[in-house]
Amino acid sequence: MITTRGAYNKCAALHERTFAELRTLDLQTVLDNYNLSHAYMDHIKNLLNQMYRYALEYDIVQKDYSKFCKITKEDDDEHGEPFTPEDINQL
């Protein structure tokens, strides 16, 4: 819930706009205008996906523009093992 609220707050530029009038460029601008982590951008994109799913279900929009948005920042998640076998032996 906290991540959804944070993602919603980052979309403040869209809050005064009519949802049905938003297009891909409007959504992409929100994703591109912040220096956020890849994971945070993923939360924003997920929120947009959920909003469009709801809007499609209730005939608010005819097309899901969120599926055309791209997260342009490289994935910055750390991968791999947190401890090497040497570290584990040392513990």
Side-chain angles (χ1 to χ4, degrees):
M1 181 70 170
I2 292 173
T3 56
T4 303
R5 184 173 304 277
Y8 176 78
N9 289 337
K10 293 296 183 189
C11 296
L14 306 176
H15 290 179
E16 299 299 319
R17 306 273 309 274
T18 303
F19 190 78
E21 294 175 1
L22 296 177
R23 298 295 178 259
T24 304
L25 183 60
D26 301 315
L27 307 177
Q28 188 66 51
T29 301
V30 169
L31 287 172
D32 292 343
N33 278 347
Y34 293 104
N35 186 20
L36 301 171
S37 69
H38 186 275
Y40 207 115
M41 289 179 168
D42 203 33
H43 290 303
I44 294 171
K45 187 162 174 8
N46 186 38
L47 172 66
L48 295 172
N49 291 338
Q50 291 173 11
M51 291 174 68
Y52 270 95
R53 195 170 343 154
Y54 176 89
L56 283 167
E57 183 177 345
Y58 290 97
D59 295 321
I60 297 167
V61 297
Q62 300 302 312
K63 187 174 185 178
D64 180 356
Y65 289 101
S66 69
K67 68 181 176 183
F68 303 113
C69 293
K70 305 281 188 267
I71 297 176
T72 55
K73 187 169 189 173
E74 191 173 320
D75 190 356
D76 54 3
D77 291 341
E78 292 186 23
H79 300 284
E81 296 179 31
F83 299 104
T84 65
E86 294 81 24
D87 290 336
I88 292 173
N89 286 337
Q90 206 171 30
L91 292 174

